[in-house]
Amino acid sequence: MDNQYSGLWQHYVQTANHKIPEAGLMGQTAWRSPSNIAIVKYWGKHGNQLPNNPSLSFTLQNAHTDTSISYTWSPTGPEVHFRFEGSENKAFAEKIEKLLMQFLPAFPFLGQLKMHIESRNSFPHSSGIASSASSMSALVMCLIDIEQQLGAMLTDDERLRKASYFSRLASGSAARSVFPIAALWGHTPFHSGSHDEYAVVADDIHPVFRNYRDTILIISAGTKAVSSRAGHALMEGNPFAEVRYHQASKNTGELLHALHSGDLEAFVRITEAEALQLHALMMTSEPSFILMQPNTLEAIARIRNFRNDTGIPLSFTLDAGPNVHLLYPDEHHPAVNDFVQQQLKSLCQDGRLIEDRVGQGPQKMI
Ligand code: PMV
């Protein structure tokens, strides 16, 4: 297994805190971590969760996971008891236990802990909003906090890098959730310090994007037709894969420039091109998937008409599903809200919407 891990894995194993917790030890931690919405999409990976192209996302504020861990000393750890939204969840507990076993060489103290983990999402269960980025980053923030309680000494930057690295191993896009405003994951010549193994903060963001809005149209709350694991794997035989990776790299450079200069026209163009390319890739995979629904296309047509008619730089993006994220500057919220109520809400399942905006990243809750 280890040969799939990079130099950084070796670094974290070698610098792990090997002090064994003492009998009687107990403590707790709690973190709130947000979801993120990719503008340049990560689709296609290799090795152990390494991206085939750089991706760039906005960190969200309202769509988040709250995770708390209370722990006690146990010589036969890691032992995990997991409750999701108030109920025992054995399947999730097993997944987390497996992940912690994988992390054990870098977090040896886990071998001596019994943990009661509670987790809850702010967005409704089965709203079609993926929770792996928020839930996995919240869990990792808790682990790194426990490590600190047990004596690890990391600077803030080291802590965030480590959180991003281990979040990535748990769920690729989670690597980007640990930073405020916007995060970049994957090496690009357009940003020094960018890396495939962890995300970095995309700094120097123009004020217009710092409180950008994301109104999510829940076109369908059903579960995904294709898991992201299967979706990434389909890129291996996709005839457009190389063109896509090239496009994503180019879009990353142009998006960084637009985010820095406040170029809304370029932002709209790149954002929509990325969303449609992601879906084009799924449509051209073998087997192929059409994840948009008729109301997704109707919403897109209405958004583009609204933009042409009003000049308001409202754009859309999509995840690997039918729901539509409306992205726009905060100052246009009243006009966009009227438009949503009059023309888009009726396209949503049971009229469901989630109001979100760019946020500040994970928060310690206790
Ligand atoms: O993190 P994963 O493996 O669930 O992949 C996420 C893929 C997209 O959400 C479609 C794009 C992205 O970059 O977040």
Side-chain angles (χ1 to χ4, degrees), residues 184-262:
L184 172 66
W185 170 38
H187 174 71
T188 164
F190 303 106
H191 193 285
S192 67
S194 57
H195 208 284
D196 282 354
E197 294 181 68
Y198 50 82
V200 295
V201 69
D203 44 12
D204 270 338
I205 303 288
H206 188 278
V208 72
F209 294 113
R210 293 178 160 264
N211 56 359
Y212 226 59
R213 292 270 187 164
D214 179 5
T215 300
I216 310 167
L217 308 178
I218 309 299
I219 302 291
S220 167
T223 49
K224 296 203 248 177
V226 56
S227 69
S228 39
R229 179 195 293 255
H232 289 293
L234 286 173
M235 281 302 282
E236 269 161 46
N238 190 297
F240 302 106
E242 285 316 311
V243 178
R244 162 62 194 159
Y245 301 142
H246 181 261
Q247 282 289 313
S249 297
K250 182 169 161 282
N251 285 343
T252 301
E254 290 181 13
L255 180 62
L256 281 164
H257 189 263
L259 290 175
H260 175 58
S261 62

Side-chain angles (χ1 to χ4, degrees), residues 36-43 45 49 55-57 130 132-133 171-174 176 185 224 228-229 232 278 282 318-320:
N36 66 75
I37 179 68
I39 309 301
V40 175
K41 310 290 183 182
Y42 149 60
W43 200 243
K45 61 179 173 180
Q49 301 271 86
S55 59
L56 205 160
S57 57
S132 63
S171 164
S173 57
R176 299 186 308 240
W185 170 38
K224 296 203 248 177
S228 39
R229 179 195 293 255
H232 289 293
L278 173 70
M282 283 181 273
L318 308 165
D319 251 333

Side-chain angles (χ1 to χ4, degrees), residues 136-208:
M136 289 302 132
S137 55
L139 178 70
V140 170
M141 292 308 290
C142 287
L143 295 185
I144 287 179
D145 200 33
I146 295 175
E147 181 183 51
Q148 195 151 337
Q149 291 173 19
L150 299 181
M153 308 265 267
L154 296 177
T155 64
D156 286 351
D157 284 351
E158 287 168 341
R159 207 165 35 78
L160 286 177
R161 175 171 298 182
K162 190 166 184 177
S164 181
Y165 175 87
F166 284 97
S167 297
R168 185 206 101 218
L169 291 180
S171 164
S173 57
R176 299 186 308 240
S177 272
V178 306
F179 298 101
I181 318 270
L184 172 66
W185 170 38
H187 174 71
T188 164
F190 303 106
H191 193 285
S192 67
S194 57
H195 208 284
D196 282 354
E197 294 181 68
Y198 50 82
V200 295
V201 69
D203 44 12
D204 270 338
I205 303 288
H206 188 278
V208 72

Side-chain angles (χ1 to χ4, degrees), residues 213-215 217 303 314-315 324-328 336 340 344:
R213 292 270 187 164
D214 179 5
T215 300
L217 308 178
I303 290 162
L314 170 68
S315 57
V324 180
H325 291 246
L326 303 178
L327 300 172
Y328 53 99
V336 172
V340 168
L344 297 179

Side-chain angles (χ1 to χ4, degrees), residues 329-366:
D330 186 49
E331 62 166 313
H332 294 301
H333 183 248
V336 172
N337 189 46
D338 285 350
F339 165 59
V340 168
Q341 296 301 325
Q342 286 160 20
Q343 290 197 47
L344 297 179
K345 201 172 168 164
S346 57
L347 301 174
C348 301
Q349 183 174 348
D350 306 320
R352 283 166 72 182
L353 306 164
I354 296 177
E355 286 291 352
D356 213 334
R357 61 195 310 156
V358 166
Q360 295 301 318
Q363 253 179 291
K364 189 166 160 63
M365 303 305 282
I366 48 171

